[in-house]
Amino acid sequence: MERESVALDDLDRALIDALRVDGRAPFARLGEVLGVSDRTVARRYNRLRGTGVLNLVGVVDAASLGGAEWLVRLHCRPGSADSVAEALARRDDTRWVALLSGGTEICASLRSWSARERDELILQRLQRTAPVVSVTAHSVLHVFTTAAPHPNGTGALTPEQAAALRPTYADGERVRLADSDRPLLEALAADGRAPYPALAAATGWSESSVARRLHALRAAGLLTFDVDVDATVLGYRAEARLWASVPPADLAATGAAVATRSEVAFCAATTGPTNLLISVVCRDNRDLYRYLTECLGALGTIREVQTAPVVRVLKRARSVPWHGTGT
């Protein structure tokens, strides 16, 4: 079933950018900064989320997890990739899943709570899945940050508005993730703006306990909120995954340079036969060609690039796993 067509106006775009600054800012605060009522903000947010344009989820720092973050590439027998990708998308431990190239390759992001849970999927389930011809797993070593606008961003928020929304935290005690955090993080992975009563019901804690723990996790940098927007609604229709090879001595500088481009949605240093993964979102194939030849091509440290266009995205922005099912 096709999703209804959604046209974004200036307020929608400003709201998207505001949520990128603070995904859990109260509607009243968002309305104050954007110059509208809290009811208007709530109505716009519910429309964007309900139509699938926007998805806001809690994301746990992968480095704090024993299983960390892995990127897997799967090559499947012709005609079978759709079903394998759909099974992966149903799992709680996959954050995004995309069908690539000619429809026989899948790329997925996996975040597991422990090494045991990671190995159970990568070394056992995927290897035993009959339609899967090959599996390559890349451990994420470092994610490069970027000061450039997100490719799905809109530029509708002024610097002053962003500063007014940006959360600040006082230095506090050292915080570590615990198994008891799983219900809280699972609820936030499904809905990053889940209200405190819902989070209290999911955890069995009081609302005040939930609020304190959520604040502590955010202050420690262990929990952030990811706003994923359907790029096609913003006019971006050419998405690709790039695997590049860079000499280790040049990896840090090259990754940092790549991450400054507005076309780049994600850039990370990884293990594997290539060591730099780049996810790009462009307006069309001409812009993708221009990025490859003029931007990436200008970096002399990149020795080789494998390019795989995204045919279909089956899953976007999903956080930490709890009870994996499927493939």
Side-chain angles (χ1 to χ4, degrees):
M1 182 176 67
E2 289 190 12
R3 193 188 65 211
E4 70 175 89
S5 177
V6 178
L8 304 185
D9 62 16
D10 289 343
L11 179 57
D12 291 323
R13 294 171 184 271
L15 176 56
I16 289 170
D17 285 354
L19 290 169
R20 291 192 190 282
V21 177
D22 184 0
R24 282 193 67 88
F27 287 141
R29 181 58 178 156
L30 291 167
E32 179 184 353
V33 171
L34 298 179
V36 296
S37 70
D38 56 344
R39 290 185 179 181
T40 297
V41 172
R43 189 166 56 249
R44 293 298 185 100
Y45 173 77
N46 290 330
R47 170 176 169 266
L48 293 173
R49 185 169 185 260
T51 53
V53 171
L54 176 150
N55 190 27
L56 193 158
V57 298
V59 178
V60 173
D61 175 32
S64 65
L65 301 176
E69 182 172 10
W70 288 72
L71 303 167
V72 293
R73 295 179 70 181
L74 294 82
H75 287 86
C76 302
R77 294 193 177 94
S80 63
D82 270 341
S83 60
V84 174
E86 288 168 0
L88 280 170
R90 288 193 296 269
R91 293 184 60 95
D92 291 331
D93 48 1
T94 53
R95 188 158 174 255
W96 49 258
V97 179
L99 196 62
L100 306 180
S101 304
T104 59
E105 183 177 358
I106 300 166
C107 186
S109 171
L110 165 70
R111 283 190 175 184
S112 56
W113 188 268
S114 67
R116 180 188 61 79
E117 293 177 6
R118 173 203 67 202
D119 294 346
E120 188 271 339
L121 175 61
I122 296 178
L123 301 181
Q124 297 182 43
R125 286 186 179 269
L126 290 178
Q127 300 289 353
R128 294 199 306 262
T129 302
V132 175
V133 176
S134 66
V135 178
T136 305
H138 305 250
S139 176
V140 175
L141 302 177
H142 177 76
V143 176
F144 295 97
T145 56
T146 173
H150 190 281
N152 293 1
T154 70
L157 203 67
T158 68
E160 293 76 19
Q161 288 173 315
L165 288 168
R166 190 167 293 114
T168 58
Y169 304 100
D171 292 338
E173 61 180 326
R174 184 175 177 82
V175 176
R176 301 181 68 177
L177 288 175
D179 282 343
S180 58
D181 291 318
R182 287 194 175 201
L184 172 64
L185 299 175
E186 180 181 29
L188 291 170
D191 178 6
R193 290 188 64 88
Y196 288 118
L199 295 175
T203 59
W205 303 344
S206 67
E207 291 184 34
S208 58
S209 295
V210 167
R212 284 195 300 272
R213 187 58 177 169
L214 198 156
H215 180 88
L217 292 173
R218 295 186 73 182
L222 297 176
L223 173 66
T224 57
F225 292 90
D226 186 5
V227 180
D228 185 87
V229 178
D230 183 351
T232 61
V233 176
L234 296 171
Y236 296 87
R237 301 184 180 279
E239 187 172 353
R241 301 286 184 266
L242 314 177
W243 288 268
S245 296
V246 179
D250 300 315
L251 185 57
T254 303
V258 168
T260 61
R261 295 290 308 185
S262 61
E263 299 92 341
V264 176
F266 181 78
C267 179
T270 71
T271 61
T274 57
N275 57 2
L276 190 67
L277 172 72
I278 310 166
S279 177
V280 295
V281 183
C282 300
R283 291 197 176 275
D284 51 34
N285 283 336
R286 286 179 299 180
D287 278 350
L288 176 58
Y289 175 76
R290 189 177 303 113
Y291 171 77
L292 290 171
T293 57
E294 297 179 8
C295 301
L296 212 58
L299 298 175
T301 54
I302 293 182
R303 300 293 184 240
E304 177 188 354
V305 178
Q306 302 172 29
T307 305
V310 173
V311 175
R312 182 159 60 98
V313 177
L314 289 88
K315 185 177 187 180
R316 296 181 183 272
R318 172 66 174 173
S319 188
V320 185
W322 318 111
H323 307 292
T325 57
T327 293

